[in-house]
Amino acid sequence: MSASQAISDSVDQDKGASDAPNWDQVPFDVECARCGHDLCGLSEPKCTSCGLEFDWSDAVPIEKLLCSHCDYHLYGLSETRCPECGEPFTWPEALDDYHRRKKPLFEYWWRKKPFSSLCSSWWLSIRPWKLWQVVDMHDPPRGRPLLVIVVVAFVTLALLVPTITGVALWLNGWFGEYLPGGWRIPGLADFVPAISLGFEIWLRVGPVLALWCMTSLGTLMIFRESMRIYRVRPVHVLRVWAYAFFGVLLLMVPAWSVVMFVATILFTSPLFHVASSYSVWLIPAGITFCLWVGYKRYLHMRHSLAVAIASQVIAILAVAVVVVVLAR
């Protein structure tokens, strides 16, 4: 049996997951994941400042920290050098490596595995109930990568949605004529104007979508009373907002474009066109759902549904006012 395995076994036997750590063996600062209050010296797994309840194994994973070079257990070391391979380390680096190993998030892997981690993050974000089981408040958020995934979502939409819209217009025959016996297949000469019109439509819709996205973040940030009561740091709100918009925009907006595509090509019923047009409201509904799940399961806020609904209502009204003013 290796020395690292022996240490791991002894830790599992001597210390349960719900027991307070031996603070003499914790060589780094321990703060509340939600409000940043100092937890060092506490015997109960509950923040005395904001009331957040947690597991000691999540807040102080000292026995789970491994050398990034040889996977030797670092628990009990007094020096910041691995005795197995001689690799130097710092405790913040060891904590970051621990979170990076167990979470396949773009936040942690954007330098080494940008594409695969981006896909993994999106797959989790469209299943918010699963996302916030994998990610908890003890996984430190990374602000810049979170903003990057929202930018990636908008860049992808800026290429995908106008293309789908243009193809729909082209196949619909807006640039062709109908033959007496049926529908005429539009020619290739009509394709470029149709795609151009698709991008012209996006230039009108895209800024509105971006404004709604930013207004939603601003609205969530102004719920100061809730943030004051729970002492939620803005970076956690940013994380919930980023994953909500990243998942929904890259799922629902292209899906809605396909629905409109099918409605335009295959159906002529006015009722179907009205229903497919109003289906655009599924997008803010999806955003509201993702925000609610994030606020409830990640931030552990009691009034999570009310905050999610209110933020979207305020954001949509604010965007509507801006659009009306600019239209005049």
Side-chain angles (χ1 to χ4, degrees):
M1 179 182 295
S2 65
S4 61
Q5 185 63 41
I7 292 176
S8 178
D9 293 342
S10 63
V11 168
D12 292 338
Q13 294 173 1
D14 297 340
K15 178 177 177 295
S18 61
D19 296 335
N22 181 0
W23 291 109
D24 294 334
Q25 298 293 325
V26 179
F28 47 82
D29 296 331
V30 180
E31 297 179 345
C32 174
R34 185 161 66 187
C35 69
H37 182 72
D38 185 15
L39 301 179
C40 291
L42 293 183
S43 58
E44 297 295 330
K46 183 177 181 179
C47 178
T48 56
S49 179
C50 69
L52 177 67
E53 298 181 358
F54 54 85
D55 291 333
W56 284 119
S57 59
D58 295 327
V60 194
I62 179 64
E63 65 275 9
K64 300 178 183 179
L65 302 186
L66 305 176
C67 173
S68 60
H69 190 260
C70 69
D71 290 340
Y72 183 86
H73 281 267
L74 304 179
Y75 181 71
L77 296 183
S78 57
E79 297 182 358
T80 55
R81 181 178 294 275
C82 176
E84 183 76 12
C85 66
E87 184 75 11
F89 67 90
T90 64
W91 290 111
E93 289 175 351
L95 285 168
D96 285 344
D97 183 66
Y98 164 71
H99 291 289
R100 189 165 51 243
R101 284 198 318 271
K102 71 171 187 171
K103 311 292 182 179
L105 299 176
F106 182 77
E107 294 179 66
Y108 299 140
W109 292 98
W110 65 278
R111 293 181 183 273
K112 296 183 178 180
K113 300 178 180 179
F115 182 75
S116 61
S117 62
L118 187 67
C119 293
S120 297
S121 297
W122 177 77
W123 180 240
L124 284 172
S125 65
I126 64 176
R127 300 174 298 157
W129 57 90
K130 178 66 174 179
L131 171 66
W132 303 121
Q133 287 179 352
V134 174
V135 183
D136 57 51
M137 297 195 72
H138 295 93
D139 300 313
R142 300 288 185 261
R144 290 182 180 179
L146 288 172
L147 292 176
V148 166
I149 64 175
V150 178
V151 173
V152 168
F154 270 96
V155 171
T156 304
L157 292 178
L159 298 175
L160 186 62
V161 174
T163 302
I164 295 176
T165 305
V167 171
L169 295 176
W170 176 61
L171 293 179
N172 184 256
W174 283 17
F175 298 94
E177 296 178 357
Y178 289 96
L179 295 177
W183 179 55
R184 183 178 79 84
I185 299 177
L188 291 178
D190 302 323
F191 182 74
V192 174
I195 295 296
S196 299
L197 182 57
F199 275 92
E200 289 180 13
I201 295 174
W202 171 255
L203 290 178
R204 299 176 184 177
V205 176
V208 176
L209 196 63
L211 179 61
W212 166 49
C213 181
M214 299 308 299
T215 305
S216 295
L217 176 60
T219 303
L220 290 171
M221 290 297 185
I222 65 175
F223 282 96
R224 299 304 302 173
E225 185 64 18
S226 296
M227 295 180 68
R228 183 187 66 80
I229 293 174
Y230 295 97
R231 289 177 171 83
V232 175
R233 289 181 284 185
V235 68
H236 291 296
V237 178
L238 174 65
R239 174 181 259 175
V240 174
W241 167 83
Y243 282 116
F245 274 85
F246 179 56
V248 172
L249 289 183
L250 284 186
L251 176 66
M252 287 193 170
V253 172
W256 178 77
S257 301
V258 172
V259 169
M260 295 301 296
F261 173 90
V262 174
T264 303
I265 300 302
L266 300 181
F267 298 91
T268 57
S269 170
L271 181 62
F272 185 87
H273 282 281
V274 170
S276 58
S277 298
Y278 278 101
S279 65
V280 69
W281 290 103
L282 291 175
I283 298 174
I287 293 290
T288 302
F289 174 75
C290 291
L291 291 175
W292 168 50
V293 175
Y295 265 59
K296 181 179 181 179
R297 296 195 174 186
Y298 176 65
L299 298 181
H300 304 286
M301 295 178 64
R302 297 191 189 95
H303 307 294
S304 53
L305 181 59
V307 172
I309 293 175
S311 68
Q312 289 310 290
V313 171
I314 295 173
I316 292 174
L317 290 176
V319 171
V321 170
V322 173
V323 171
V324 170
V325 171
L326 292 179
R328 291 182 178 179

